[in-house]
Amino acid sequence: MPGTTTPDRLTAATAERPAGPLIVTEDESLLDDLLRLCAAAGSEPEVVFTAPPRAGSWDRAPLVLVGAEAAARVRGAPRRRGVLLIGRNDDDAETWRQGVGIGADHVLFLPESESWLVDRIADVAEGAGGPALTIGVVGGRGGAGASTLACALAVTAARGGLRAMLIDGDPLGGGLDILFGAERTGGLRWPDFADSRGRVNSGALEESLPRLDSLSVLSWDRGDSVLIPPQAMRSVLGAARRRGGVVVVDLPRRVDDTTAETLTQIDVGLLVVPAELRAVAAASRVAGAVQEVLDDLRVVARGPFGSGLDDQEIARLIGLPLAGELPPEPSLADALSGAPPGSARRGPLARFCGAFLDQALGHAGSVTA
């Protein structure tokens, strides 16, 4: 249950884990090092010591770690992806030749490559696939509707059967869980992650958060803590992205160090701009700050469009590509009285979100302008 999860679980492996890597070596010292790295990554390997690996083990293992001294034992094995040759001396040309001979994806040398190797083993332990499509949403001015759009994008992704996570990146926004009526739902909030460093387990992160059907939400509690260090944001958002699917981040308009760290992991940003001249002026300043870190930022023009500004003109004035327009949706006038934003499948908000996600995810996860 989310309410019983503690921060300590975030560095532990999940209960159901994929098969661990296969280790093939004749060197006891190297074996000790590789076992230590596997333990740090939360993975339980299969070990073949001073013997060729069985065909089933070789084929089935998600990752194969071969000691350079044991390369001859796997030379006749079928070529496959995910083979790493591990050596000790990066000046040894013979190790590189052995890597070519067994078709290794990478040749690594310890201890220099330990950090990289732990991350690779941890990806296997977590069953990580491709990174999530990560969307940042920011308002051109206060009350522009950025939080509403962020919630609707996450709801639409979850409704479409995707793994979805909504992250509240604005500590002064009041808490996105309120938009879902989930402020009393058990689970961890941002203050629980303030001390996070290094690698956070993506499966444990997902399990620890309040969940609404298939949507996970990381928001703020009602306390006074409003500071998340950049390192914590890097760790938590990195874990969310490794889980795959769609991650939506509600961004603050002020770009501080933590927001800048967030923007480095965003694939595409959406700038919500009401059809008002003052909003356009304010949004231009926000866009300038965001674009110092994020290259792909697009305008979402929000109606009504009765002030002489249409969506194309708003995008032109700000100097950004147009992602689309959002006509008024009367049912969203009081978000607390009804279902979460985006729940009305035929409303303009849900239609925009569906079209945007279809375009973004329809190109092998890439986002096209």
Side-chain angles (χ1 to χ4, degrees):
M1 294 295 291
T4 61
T5 305
T6 64
D8 293 341
R9 290 186 59 194
L10 298 177
T11 56
T14 52
E16 296 182 3
R17 64 184 67 179
L22 172 66
I23 297 176
V24 183
T25 184
E26 301 175 354
D27 184 333
E28 291 187 5
S29 175
L30 179 62
L31 177 59
D32 288 342
D33 283 341
L34 294 178
L35 289 175
R36 171 176 54 82
L37 298 179
C38 286
S43 181
E44 296 180 4
E46 178 183 351
V47 176
V48 177
F49 191 70
T50 67
R54 293 173 299 176
S57 298
W58 177 266
D59 295 336
R60 188 170 54 248
L63 194 66
V64 181
L65 312 179
V66 181
E69 82 293 339
R73 294 191 181 276
V74 301
R75 193 175 299 277
R79 295 297 176 100
R80 51 154 292 170
R81 299 292 300 275
V83 176
L84 310 180
L85 187 69
I86 317 295
R88 293 287 194 186
N89 182 4
D90 58 6
D91 290 330
D92 186 359
E94 179 60 23
T95 301
W96 293 98
R97 285 193 290 270
Q98 289 171 329
V100 173
I102 66 172
D105 291 349
H106 297 278
V107 177
L108 309 178
F109 297 93
L110 302 184
E112 292 86 353
S113 299
E114 284 193 358
S115 178
W116 186 93
L117 184 55
V118 168
D119 281 346
R120 185 69 184 272
I121 297 170
D123 284 342
V124 169
E126 296 176 25
L133 170 66
T134 307
I135 305 166
V137 186
V138 60
R141 65 154 170 80
S147 295
T148 298
L149 177 58
C151 290
L153 284 165
V155 166
T156 303
R159 186 170 59 228
L162 297 169
R163 174 178 280 115
M165 186 177 294
L166 176 63
I167 295 179
D168 189 349
D170 186 357
L172 301 179
L176 290 182
D177 51 356
I178 293 177
L179 286 176
F180 293 90
E183 61 270 26
R184 292 184 175 85
T185 301
L188 301 184
R189 265 68 174 182
W190 261 124
D192 298 306
F193 297 94
D195 295 328
S196 297
R197 298 292 188 276
R199 188 184 181 98
V200 169
N201 183 278
S202 60
L205 171 67
E206 187 176 48
E207 290 178 0
S208 74
L209 299 179
R211 289 182 65 84
L212 302 158
D213 297 324
S214 58
L215 172 62
S216 301
V217 181
L218 175 54
S219 188
W220 298 84
D221 62 11
R222 310 283 83 82
D224 296 330
S225 176
V226 294
L227 178 63
I228 294 297
Q231 301 94 322
M233 178 61 77
R234 182 185 308 123
S235 296
V236 171
L237 187 52
R241 283 171 54 81
R242 288 196 304 275
R243 199 65 175 160
V246 174
V247 174
V248 183
V249 186
D250 184 26
L251 296 165
R253 295 190 304 282
R254 179 175 177 270
V255 180
D256 58 14
D257 289 345
T258 298
T259 304
E261 177 60 45
T262 307
L263 291 170
T264 64
Q265 299 197 54
I266 298 293
D267 296 312
V268 57
L270 298 178
L271 177 66
V272 184
V273 187
E276 306 162 1
L277 282 174
R278 289 186 64 188
V280 171
S284 296
R285 291 191 291 272
V286 174
V290 171
Q291 284 186 294
E292 290 185 6
V293 184
L294 177 65
D295 292 331
D296 192 350
L297 181 64
R298 310 176 194 179
V299 166
V300 177
R302 204 197 79 192
F305 298 97
S307 60
L309 292 173
D310 62 14
D311 54 351
Q312 298 285 345
E313 180 67 4
I314 290 171
R316 186 191 70 80
L317 289 172
I318 298 175
L320 291 174
L322 179 67
E325 67 171 72
L326 281 178
E329 189 163 345
S331 63
L332 292 174
D334 184 3
L336 295 180
S337 66
S343 297
R345 297 178 180 233
R346 298 184 179 180
L349 184 59
R351 289 200 300 272
F352 170 86
C353 294
F356 178 80
L357 290 172
D358 284 347
Q359 178 201 44
L361 296 168
H363 297 79
S366 64
V367 187
T368 57

